[in-house]
Each structure stands twice: as structure tokens, then as C-alpha cells.
Amino acid sequence: MKLASLKKGRDGELIVVSRDLGRYCGAADIAPTLQAALDEWDIAQPKLEARFEALQDEQITSFPFTPAECHSPLPRAYHWADGSAYVNHVELVRKARGADMPESFWTDPLMYQGGSDTFLGPTEEIAMPSTDWGIDFEAEVAVVTTDVPMGISAAKAEDSIRLLMLVNDVSLRNLIPGELAKGFGFYQSKPSSAFSPVAVTPDELGHHWRGGMVHLPLHAILNGEKIGSPNAGVDMTFNFPQLIAHAAKSRPLGAGTIIGSGTVSNVDRAAGSCCLAEVRMLEIIADGKAKTPFMQFGDQIEIAMYDENDSDIFGTIHQRVVQYVNPQ
Amino acid sequence: MKLASLKKGRDGELIVVSRDLGRYCGAADIAPTLQAALDEWDIAQPKLEARFEALQDEQITSFPFTPAECHSPLPRAYHWADGSAYVNHVELVRKARGADMPESFWTDPLMYQGGSDTFLGPTEEIAMPSTDWGIDFEAEVAVVTTDVPMGISAAKAEDSIRLLMLVNDVSLRNLIPGELAKGFGFYQSKPSSAFSPVAVTPDELGHHWRGGMVHLPLHAILNGEKIGSPNAGVDMTFNFPQLIAHAAKSRPLGAGTIIGSGTVSNVDRAAGSCCLAEVRMLEIIADGKAKTPFMQFGDQIEIAMYDENDSDIFGTIHQRVVQYVNPQ
């Protein structure tokens, strides 16, 4: 089934969306919000599935679905941790600055925790005071978990995955070097992320969901021009169950935890890139310097994934960069 | 006023606690949870204050207050970011390993984001599979904010502080070097934190709350023996408004954001330490090696702050370390 959150209050209002993303019907009588559904998933899930089937069968009053009326499926969440599962991307970034990559990066995932209190909606503007911060998108896949006990094995972690979404993990590239040099990881350099309009259960992906990853291209389109469409199931060194097990090593994870894949990236360069930083790294490796700028005010980014019938699975993240005006 | 959350469901049930921590009365009719109160603070605050006054004046039915019946004031939160405001502590840690401290650390706060989906209660056990992970406490002060706009100035940030609490920022010292070497900051090395039984409004601290910091000693007691009682208002290089402004540089903060001070530490060594890592660093600097071990199974840590009449302000964090048995 497919779920989304209409804009309403801080946590949105839960709706069920048709498979073709054309129609929706309310679900707040089952659970007022997606977080509430995740908190009591075993109770909510069969009711939501029944509502979804009724919507598919046109047995229920429905309304036209419009992503612009939606917040991110979880407008705010208690935990958002992002891995770097496409290790070849990490290797590339390091190669561009002449740094070797520790061998352990192939066996021990990189993961950082992102701000989850103020997500952007899927079509909400990215407002920053200056392009000097190096505004970039990162197109990724993410899973939403149920409660996960501390110390879970990767083998058991797949059962904890409830939903999948796409992410734009907005990054401020020019704030990263200074921040990482301090040794405490990302904080200011990772502003609010945005998620796809719709979250889907793994069964919606059919055979494209296998081995704990999504075997479909992820498309990143900047100002109408394709930047990349690497396959999210190729070159993913750590699958989602492994990322979940990593996250739960020393503490349990709460229901509604979002775990991201990191920027999707394929070794096959013909697939293109899912962030401008990678485009620039390839330019540096090829020509000694980057010629593609980071995002400018007015630039638009679209992130989407399609099934074999070219149907949009998650709805499209479509955001424009604008200048932030400080209200003070 | 003083607020707490009785254990109930995932988010607890909001109660108002008397100034002397002796009695409480329900407040769920005003707001079901502390997060709900923070989400609509302007509406909830006057009603909660009135309830608190009625409790103080014994005009309302009340019950004996027992910290063991409480969860952390926010059992889960959307954002928990911890600064390192006592820079002399950071300098000491680095000195012990022979590393200079960048001059910028005196002007640009260190901050990391901690897991906020599964906080421990104030008297809940700290369960870890092995003491080899180097289990340590960190006694800190924290504030809880309302909504904070992106780009807020430190001058304006103090108005966003709604509540204060104490924190035990549990740390796994032996996981830190490997994790920081990866360059992405803390994640597995910072398991679930615990907070004081009670959160208090700044006015409860009277003249001890000034300049955006708390001017009282913070006591850390290990197995009944005082490890330290440094004054939280001394040697705090960055006050809470500065830490909030740092956190809000590139995105807004949601209501209920928790910002921590980092381990409280005074240059005057007679005040002792608020974590075992600092004790060990001082031993290394003095004798070339650490003799105090990290926490062992059965060890108990108490963290508390008292006013000038020796009254416990926040209730005491009192946790025991036990061995975690993996349910798998």
C-alpha cells in the first residue's frame, strides 16, 4: 500500500494513496498520523491495507492526489540516520582530494544522524541565505522501521522494515570541510531533508525489492536535465538490514526510525550521479578542476523512481532553491 | 513550575510536580504529553502554571511523587543536540593524548546530534553487552526550546528556552576513537541518554539562571562517592543561547528541541569531574596512566543539582549499569 500525510498541524493527516498516485482517501480514523500508525503498526496495518484495497477497487470516496498538498510522509520524526552505503561514491570523493580510503570502509558502514524535527515537504522550497554555502542535493532511498531491539542481527533486521521512501538529503558542501575538521561530524552542513510525497510498503516494489535493497534506477533531474539515474540495487555495499543492524548496535531504535542509503552511485559512470558533488569530483579527476557549480537560487531538483511501466512509485520530490530572508 | 512524565505509553503522561518534589497532580487534561504542551506552549503554559500554583497551595488533589514512576520528561524527542560548552574539558581531553586544540574551538562550538527516539528513564538501568565498550556517564545541563527560526541570533535565542533538565549523556569511550577516525562523528558511541525526573521553567532557578547559564554546582556521585561538583555557570565558554544559535544556523529547530551543555567542567580541579574520562585524563597528565576504570556492571551513578537550601531542583538521575542480554 501507499501512504502519505496531508499538510495539517505539525504531524500531518494520514491518507492512503492509490497505486497510480491518482487518488487518495482519508485514513485518520484508523490512525491520525503516520507516526501514530507506526506506533501501533500491527493494529493499523491490516486496516490501512483494507482501505487501500477499497481505494484500488473504487469502493470508497476518493479525491485527486496532489503532492503539493502533502508534507513529507513523516513531517517530523524521532530518528533520521543516513548511511553511506554506496562506498564507491565515498572512494570517489576521497580520490578527488587525493586521499586513500581506509579498507574498513568496505566492511563498517559510515552513518550520520540528521535533523528530524523540521523536515521539508516534498515540493517545499530549499531556502538558504547564500549560495556560498554550496547547496547540493543528494538523491537517496530510505526505509522506515518499526521498533528494533538493540543488538539486532542484519539477518533479522529486514523484518523491521515497514515502509520505503525517497530522500533529498540537502547538503551544504562548503560548510562540510570546516565542520568535519572539528571531528564531530556533520551538523550545520546537513540542513532539513525532504522525502518523497508517498511512503510505500516493500511489497509495492514486487521483485524490485530483494536482498534488502531496491533494484531500480533513481532519477535526479536538475532544471529539467538528467544528472543521473544509477540503479539503487547496484554497488550498494551495505543493504538496508545491515544499515539497521549498524544503527542498533548500542541502543534500540524507536518505531518510525528512518534509515537512509546515502547518495546512490554506480561504478558504471554512464549512469550519472545523484549529487553535484560527485559530478564535480569526476570533473576534478578528469580535468583537474570542477566546472559544474552547486545549486543557484531558482534551480530546481526532481528526484523520482519509476517501475517497469514508467509509473512513478513514490511521487516526485520537486524542490526549488530560494534565498532565505532572516525574519529577525 | 516543574513538569514530569509518568510512565505511560510511548510519550508518558504529563504531570505537574511541586517545588519540593514531594507531590504531583495530573495535567493530561491540559496537554496529554510534555511534547503536546511544548507544541502549543502559549496555550498550555498559563494553564500549567495555574495548576502548579494550585498544587503549591494544596488546593488540588495530589499524590506522592516518585522518580521511579517517571520516564524522562520527554520520553522521546524530535531533536537532541549536545554541545561541548566547557571548552577547558575538551582541551584537557586533547592534552592527555598530546594533541593541541585548534584556536577556533574557543569561538565555534562543537556539537553532535544524539539519538532521541529511545531515551532512558531517570532511574532506568544502563544495559550494555560488555564493559569493554568503556561505559561512562557525562553529567550535563540541558534546555528545551520552543520553535526556533533558522538564523536566530544568540541575543534572541534566550527567549526560546522553555525548560531546563539534567542529562546523563551515556558514552561508550572505547568505541569513540574508531568512530571519530571514520570522520562522521559519534553514533554507536553515544547510546541512549537519560534525563532528570523533572523539567523546570527557568524562573524556578531564580538568580541562579542568568547570562544564559545555570550558576549552581552539578553533582556526580559514583557508587555513593562524589566524583565532582563543578559549577555549571563557571567556565561555560558558550552559553545556551549561543548553542541554540549554533544549532539553528542552517535550519529551524522544532518545539521540544533539547540542547545540552556538554560535560560540565571547571578549570579549578578541586571541583572534581562530571565524567570518568576526565578523571582518567587528569590521571594520565599527572602519572602517565589512568587508574580509574570506566563503569562496571553494578556501578551506580547519581546526578543532581541542589539550590542554596540543599533542595533537589530536578530530581536525581540514578542509574545502574547492568549486562545487556540480547533477546535474539
Side-chain angles (χ1 to χ4, degrees):
Chain A
M1 64 179 161
K2 302 195 175 190
L3 302 171
S5 294
L6 286 185
K7 288 178 184 168
K8 185 182 176 187
R10 292 179 181 271
D11 294 297
E13 180 178 306
L14 183 63
I15 59 172
V16 172
V17 184
S18 64
R19 188 162 286 135
D20 66 1
L21 308 186
R23 312 283 299 173
Y24 79 89
C25 62
D29 57 313
I30 297 171
T33 65
L34 181 54
Q35 181 65 52
L38 288 159
D39 283 347
E40 302 284 353
W41 187 254
D42 290 347
I43 297 167
Q45 185 266 344
K47 296 178 186 173
L48 292 170
E49 288 282 4
R51 184 71 50 93
F52 177 68
E53 291 309 318
L55 177 64
Q56 284 297 110
D57 298 343
E58 299 177 22
Q59 300 295 313
I60 193 169
T61 305
S62 66
F63 308 92
F65 177 71
T66 309
E69 292 173 2
C70 293
H71 210 301
S72 281
L74 288 168
R76 55 180 177 174
Y78 296 101
H79 192 175
W80 154 229
D82 200 12
S84 289
Y86 299 86
V87 178
N88 95 80
H89 167 80
V90 178
E91 193 172 37
L92 198 66
V93 170
R94 297 179 72 100
K95 188 177 173 189
R97 58 176 159 97
D100 287 338
M101 194 177 73
E103 199 56 33
S104 67
F105 280 27
W106 292 103
T107 52
D108 181 31
L110 286 173
M111 187 170 279
Y112 88 92
Q113 188 174 340
S116 56
D117 50 330
T118 56
F119 289 144
L120 299 176
T123 62
E124 198 172 340
E125 291 171 337
I126 299 164
M128 289 293 151
S130 170
T131 56
D132 290 346
W133 285 1
I135 304 160
D136 198 1
F137 58 88
E138 286 190 359
E140 311 186 1
V141 180
V143 297
V144 182
T145 76
T146 185
D147 296 294
V148 176
M150 173 172 157
I152 197 169
S153 65
K156 294 205 174 182
E158 185 164 334
D159 290 341
S160 69
I161 297 172
R162 293 288 169 269
L163 297 167
L164 290 118
M165 307 186 289
L166 305 183
V167 194
N168 180 10
D169 181 42
V170 182
S171 298
L172 302 171
R173 300 294 180 190
N174 296 340
L175 300 188
I176 289 178
E179 199 154 50
L180 293 195
K182 290 161 70 181
F184 270 34
F186 306 105
Y187 190 80
Q188 294 175 331
S189 51
K190 292 285 188 177
S192 300
S193 301
F195 295 83
S196 51
V198 168
V200 313
T201 46
D203 60 291
E204 287 295 321
L205 294 166
H207 68 280
H208 302 299
W209 172 249
R210 61 180 191 276
M213 51 185 96
V214 180
H215 294 265
L216 282 169
L218 180 64
H219 302 275
I221 314 285
L222 180 66
N223 298 325
E225 185 189 335
K226 188 164 85 173
I227 300 296
S229 49
N231 191 307
V234 173
D235 301 321
M236 191 183 192
T237 305
F238 307 105
N239 65 14
F240 283 110
Q242 289 172 305
L243 294 176
I244 292 167
H246 181 86
K249 175 173 172 171
S250 57
R251 64 189 188 81
L253 311 181
T257 288
I258 305 169
I259 303 285
S261 66
T263 306
V264 176
S265 178
N266 290 168
V267 172
D268 175 8
R269 289 289 142 224
S273 296
C274 273
C275 68
L276 293 175
E278 187 176 287
V279 172
R280 290 165 55 92
M281 292 308 159
L282 290 167
E283 291 170 349
I284 289 171
I285 291 167
D287 306 323
K289 66 183 173 76
K291 69 175 195 292
T292 301
F294 289 120
M295 295 179 87
Q296 306 299 307
F297 296 135
D299 279 356
Q300 298 194 41
I301 176 68
E302 292 168 82
I303 296 170
M305 183 176 269
Y306 303 96
D307 67 14
E308 62 269 38
N309 303 314
D310 280 337
S311 294
D312 190 341
I313 299 172
F314 299 92
T316 300
I317 297 173
H318 191 161
Q319 298 185 276
R320 198 162 64 97
V321 173
V322 300
Q323 186 157 28
Y324 178 72
V325 180
N326 197 316
Q328 294 186 74
Chain B
M1 66 179 161
K2 301 194 175 191
L3 302 171
S5 295
L6 286 185
K7 288 178 185 168
K8 185 181 175 188
R10 292 179 182 270
D11 294 298
E13 180 177 308
L14 183 62
I15 59 172
V16 172
V17 184
S18 64
R19 187 162 286 135
D20 66 1
L21 307 185
R23 312 283 299 174
Y24 80 89
C25 62
D29 57 313
I30 298 171
T33 65
L34 181 54
Q35 181 65 51
L38 288 158
D39 283 347
E40 302 284 351
W41 188 253
D42 290 347
I43 296 167
Q45 184 266 345
K47 295 178 187 172
L48 292 170
E49 288 281 4
R51 184 72 48 93
F52 177 67
E53 291 310 319
L55 177 64
Q56 284 297 110
D57 297 344
E58 300 178 20
Q59 301 295 312
I60 193 169
T61 305
S62 66
F63 309 91
F65 177 72
T66 309
E69 292 174 1
C70 293
H71 209 302
S72 281
L74 288 168
R76 55 181 178 173
Y78 295 101
H79 192 175
W80 154 229
D82 200 12
S84 290
Y86 300 86
V87 179
N88 96 79
H89 167 80
V90 179
E91 193 172 36
L92 199 66
V93 170
R94 296 178 72 101
K95 188 176 173 187
R97 58 177 161 97
D100 286 337
M101 193 176 73
E103 199 57 32
S104 67
F105 280 26
W106 293 103
T107 52
D108 181 31
L110 285 173
M111 187 170 279
Y112 88 93
Q113 188 172 339
S116 55
D117 51 331
T118 56
F119 289 144
L120 299 176
T123 63
E124 197 171 339
E125 290 171 338
I126 300 164
M128 290 293 150
S130 169
T131 55
D132 290 346
W133 285 359
I135 304 159
D136 198 1
F137 57 88
E138 287 191 0
E140 312 185 4
V141 180
V143 297
V144 182
T145 76
T146 185
D147 295 294
V148 176
M150 173 172 157
I152 197 169
S153 65
K156 294 204 173 181
E158 185 164 334
D159 290 341
S160 69
I161 297 172
R162 293 289 170 269
L163 298 167
L164 290 117
M165 309 185 290
L166 305 183
V167 194
N168 180 11
D169 181 42
V170 181
S171 297
L172 301 172
R173 299 296 180 190
N174 296 340
L175 300 188
I176 290 178
E179 199 155 50
L180 293 195
K182 291 161 68 181
F184 270 34
F186 306 105
Y187 190 81
Q188 296 175 331
S189 50
K190 292 285 189 177
S192 300
S193 300
F195 295 83
S196 51
V198 168
V200 313
T201 46
D203 60 291
E204 287 295 322
L205 294 166
H207 67 280
H208 302 298
W209 172 249
R210 60 180 191 278
M213 52 186 95
V214 180
H215 294 265
L216 282 169
L218 179 63
H219 302 276
I221 315 284
L222 180 66
N223 298 326
E225 184 189 336
K226 188 165 84 172
I227 300 295
S229 49
N231 192 307
V234 173
D235 302 321
M236 191 183 192
T237 304
F238 306 105
N239 65 15
F240 283 110
Q242 289 172 306
L243 294 176
I244 293 167
H246 180 86
K249 176 175 172 172
S250 57
R251 63 188 189 82
L253 311 181
T257 288
I258 305 169
I259 303 284
S261 67
T263 307
V264 176
S265 178
N266 290 168
V267 173
D268 175 9
R269 289 287 140 227
S273 296
C274 273
C275 67
L276 292 176
E278 187 176 287
V279 171
R280 290 165 55 92
M281 293 306 158
L282 290 166
E283 290 169 349
I284 289 169
I285 291 167
D287 306 322
K289 67 182 172 76
K291 69 175 196 290
T292 302
F294 288 120
M295 295 180 85
Q296 306 298 308
F297 296 135
D299 279 357
Q300 298 193 42
I301 177 67
E302 292 167 82
I303 296 170
M305 183 176 270
Y306 304 95
D307 67 14
E308 61 271 37
N309 303 315
D310 280 337
S311 295
D312 191 340
I313 299 172
F314 299 93
T316 300
I317 296 172
H318 191 159
Q319 298 184 275
R320 196 163 65 97
V321 173
V322 299
Q323 187 156 26
Y324 177 73
V325 179
N326 197 319
Q328 293 186 73

